[in-house]
């Protein structure tokens, strides 16, 4: 099932609970939380206190995308704050196997993220231990960037690997996913669709989410 993971980075923070409620009414089923530390990426966003606050205003699963250095240090805190899923950047984790195990040990679904310049094949050793793989379709750090077209082939490649290895992790895509790009990523095999600016634009998260999902669900994945 194709799901919308709406990124609250693009929401109106002064009315965050209302924004989340609107995106949920429009069909969004996952809250995507972009955590940035000003080191791994050139931007700072929010940390565990915001996750804890969001946890109180929605029952939807919280998907925490950690764009931070030393994620191991913070995993327990995000887990305590209410994260249901935590994904870490391949590029930030010299001991990725241990980091993913660390996430799972906290009762949280573990994911790995790859930047546009990281080959998909570098993931082979950890694919059996992840719940989801997040393919970045922009360079992380900011919302509202342009979708990188090569991401489509990268998703398709990952989907072929999943098939060949007999696994069933989910494929998530993040960055520049909007009404004009969502069909191509769904056809390639993505089923967790992160979208921020496409959803929260104009304070119309409900309408935007509904239209986004209509387009996404009209597209089906092509066979492997
Ligand atoms: C980028 C973040 C994204 C971002 C997506 O570093 O990981 O989740 O919020 O925003 P849009 O949908 O505006 O590209
Ligand atoms: Zn993200």
């Amino acid at each position: 099932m194709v799901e919308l993971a709406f990124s609250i980075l693009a929401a109106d923070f002064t009315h965050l609970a209302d924004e989340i409620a609107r995106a949920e009414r429009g069909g969004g089923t996952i809250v995507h939380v972009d955590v940035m530390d000003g080191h791994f990426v050139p931007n700072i966003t929010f940390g565990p206190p915001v996750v804890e606050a969001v946890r109180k205003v929605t029952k939807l699963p919280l998907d925490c995308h950690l764009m931070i250095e030393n994620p191991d240090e913070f995993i327990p805190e995000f887990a305590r704050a209410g994260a249901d899923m935590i994904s870490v950047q391949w590029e930030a984790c010299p001991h990725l196997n241990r980091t993913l195990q660390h996430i799972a040990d906290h009762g949280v679904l573990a994911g790995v993220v790859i930047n546009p310049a990281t080959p998909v094949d570098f993931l082979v050793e950890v694919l059996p231990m992840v719940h989801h793989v997040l393919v970045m379709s922009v360079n992380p750090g900011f919302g509202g960037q342009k979708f990188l077209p090569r991401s489509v082939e990268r998703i398709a490649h990952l989907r072929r690997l999943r098939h060949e290895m007999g696994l069933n992790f989910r494929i998530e895509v993040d960055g520049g996913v909007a009404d004009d790009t969502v069909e191509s990523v769904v056809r390639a095999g993505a089923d967790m669709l992160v979208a921020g600016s496409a959803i929260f634009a104009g304070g119309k998260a409900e309408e935007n989410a509904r239209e986004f999902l209509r387009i996404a669900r009209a597209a089906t994945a092509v066979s492997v």
Side-chain angles (χ1 to χ4, degrees):
M1 218 259 284
V2 167
E3 287 185 89
L4 166 61
F6 53 88
S7 165
I8 57 171
L9 186 58
D12 173 355
F13 297 149
T14 58
H15 299 101
L16 191 50
D18 296 336
E19 289 275 73
I20 291 171
R22 281 193 276 271
E24 185 173 357
R25 279 200 301 275
T29 43
I30 299 169
V31 184
H32 184 82
V33 184
D34 286 306
V35 178
M36 306 188 190
D37 67 349
H39 291 276
F40 179 72
V41 286
N43 197 4
I44 299 178
T45 56
F46 22 71
V50 171
V51 174
E52 210 177 321
V54 170
R55 180 69 294 163
K56 291 186 184 132
V57 299
T58 181
K59 292 194 165 56
L60 294 180
L62 307 185
D63 171 29
C64 295
H65 173 191
L66 304 189
M67 287 161 274
I68 64 175
E69 286 176 6
N70 303 315
D72 293 52
E73 269 181 53
F74 298 96
I75 285 162
E77 244 189 289
F78 280 101
R80 241 189 334 266
D84 298 278
M85 301 178 225
I86 293 178
S87 56
V88 292
Q89 294 274 158
W90 183 91
E91 301 81 7
C93 297
H95 310 291
L96 181 57
N97 181 295
R98 182 160 64 206
T99 303
L100 293 169
Q101 191 56 54
H102 193 42
I103 297 171
D105 288 346
H106 282 82
V108 176
L109 300 170
V112 61
V113 191
I114 43 168
N115 277 343
T118 303
V120 171
D121 288 326
F122 285 3
L123 294 175
V124 166
E125 300 301 334
V126 296
L127 290 179
M129 58 193 300
V130 296
H131 167 265
H132 58 290
V133 174
L134 170 46
V135 177
M136 286 308 298
S137 41
V138 298
N139 288 292
F142 304 92
Q145 301 183 78
K146 200 174 164 322
F147 179 84
L148 296 170
R150 270 196 56 78
S151 313
V152 174
E153 172 47 31
R154 289 163 58 73
I155 292 165
H157 182 139
L158 182 60
R159 184 156 167 263
R160 281 194 299 273
L161 268 181
R162 179 174 67 184
H163 180 74
E164 282 162 22
M165 295 175 74
L167 298 171
N168 60 8
F169 57 82
R170 299 191 69 181
I171 301 178
E172 185 173 27
V173 60
D174 183 4
V177 182
D179 291 6
D180 58 339
T181 48
V182 69
E183 184 183 350
S184 64
V185 297
V186 171
R187 283 174 61 82
D191 63 11
M192 283 168 70
L193 311 170
V194 178
S197 33
I199 302 305
F200 291 102
K204 293 185 165 172
E206 182 174 350
E207 295 84 340
N208 294 342
R210 196 169 288 128
E211 175 63 4
F212 178 94
L213 277 167
R214 187 189 64 75
I215 299 170
R217 291 189 170 140
T220 39
V222 291
S223 51
V224 184

